Amino acid sequence: MKLKFVNFFLFFGVCFIYAQNVEVHYMAIVRQTFNEEDRKDFGNDEFGRAQLKQNEEPEPCEYVMFISNKESSFTYVEKISNAQNPAEAVIKVAPGGFGTTYRNLVDSTQRKNFNVYDKPYYSLDSLTKFDWKITREYKEILGYEARKATAEDQNATYTVWYAPKIPIANGPAEFWGLPGLILEVEKNSKSTIYKERYIAESILPSEKKLKIIKPDKGTQIKEAEIDNIFDEAN
């Protein structure tokens, strides 16, 4: 009887994860290294040095991801700072953006919101498809067995670790499409010395459907257009 009770408890715990309503907190880190020629573009004043440091050694960012069945939202967590630093005007770096990335696995679409000098935009695009290669390597992350998978495109190489026992084909930022929740990501640029990392810090299953954020305010664009919009605004 005791054995049956233990098995029932384990089964209930697994089903709780399988409920597909999960809150995941990620830490994101970006590192970029500039050569001496590029460093000159920042100048030698206090502002230039502060901007260079912000680009090469930014503070880690925090994101919270809500997943309910086939929908998810991955949102930047704003930190309150009371620091009175004259170099606070530097452009900050956030690898996953400062807003929300929304993903719908039913219609294979992704949305992001942007703010260009107080003018709102949101992008609507098809999901990026990754040609994942699953390896035999594994390690433990937050108590789950995580499997390693890799992919690459013309811009970067990607190494991720996903948890097969959390059968949610989702992950942080633009990453998805594996038979398990992606818990860690490392992206390495092919053209510059640039690296992004996303690391899951907690996984909280929920019995209730979570409130998914779906960007839809402002002008609809394609994500590829946002750099030109910023350039024109500047």
Side-chain angles (χ1 to χ4, degrees), residues 71-86:
E71 289 185 288
S72 66
S73 58
F74 179 77
T75 304
Y76 176 77
V77 178
E78 186 72 44
K79 294 181 180 179
I80 298 175
S81 174
N82 296 318
Q84 300 297 320
N85 189 335

Side-chain angles (χ1 to χ4, degrees), residues 112-124 215-222 225-226 229-230 232-233:
K112 291 185 178 182
N113 55 357
F114 304 92
N115 188 299
V116 182
Y117 297 110
D118 294 327
K119 185 175 181 179
Y121 295 84
Y122 74 94
S123 61
L124 176 59
D216 60 0
K217 300 293 189 296
T219 304
Q220 181 181 312
I221 60 171
K222 295 292 185 182
E225 299 176 60
I226 192 62
I229 292 172
F230 269 110
E232 290 175 5

Side-chain angles (χ1 to χ4, degrees), residues 11 21 40 47 59 67 74 89 100 120 131 133 140 150 160 167 172 176 197 211-213 216 221 234:
F11 176 77
N21 295 310
K40 294 178 183 178
F47 177 82
E59 291 291 322
I67 304 170
F74 179 77
T100 294
D131 184 18
K133 304 290 191 300
E140 185 175 296
T150 62
V160 305
W176 70 288
R197 292 191 69 202
K211 185 176 181 180
I212 304 299
I213 301 171
D216 60 0
I221 60 171
N234 288 328

Side-chain angles (χ1 to χ4, degrees), residues 50-154:
Q51 184 64 66
L52 179 62
K53 183 176 182 181
Q54 173 61 223
N55 284 29
E56 292 194 327
E57 303 176 30
E59 291 291 322
C61 299
E62 295 180 15
Y63 291 88
V64 59
M65 187 171 193
F66 294 137
I67 304 170
S68 281
N69 296 316
K70 299 294 184 179
E71 289 185 288
S72 66
S73 58
F74 179 77
T75 304
Y76 176 77
V77 178
E78 186 72 44
K79 294 181 180 179
I80 298 175
S81 174
N82 296 318
Q84 300 297 320
N85 189 335
E88 280 293 316
V90 299
I91 300 173
K92 295 183 178 180
V93 179
F98 291 99
T100 294
T101 297
Y102 164 86
R103 183 178 297 119
N104 189 317
L105 301 183
V106 175
D107 61 13
S108 297
T109 59
Q110 180 170 286
R111 295 175 179 235
K112 291 185 178 182
N113 55 357
F114 304 92
N115 188 299
V116 182
Y117 297 110
D118 294 327
K119 185 175 181 179
Y121 295 84
Y122 74 94
S123 61
L124 176 59
D125 297 275
S126 298
L127 290 178
T128 301
K129 293 184 179 180
F130 296 91
D131 184 18
W132 295 115
K133 304 290 191 300
I134 297 176
T135 75
R136 294 177 178 271
E137 295 182 58
Y138 66 91
K139 66 179 180 179
E140 185 175 296
I141 302 175
L142 297 176
Y144 295 95
E145 180 185 284
R147 295 281 176 173
K148 180 181 177 181
T150 62
E152 67 176 297
D153 55 28
Q154 61 181 358

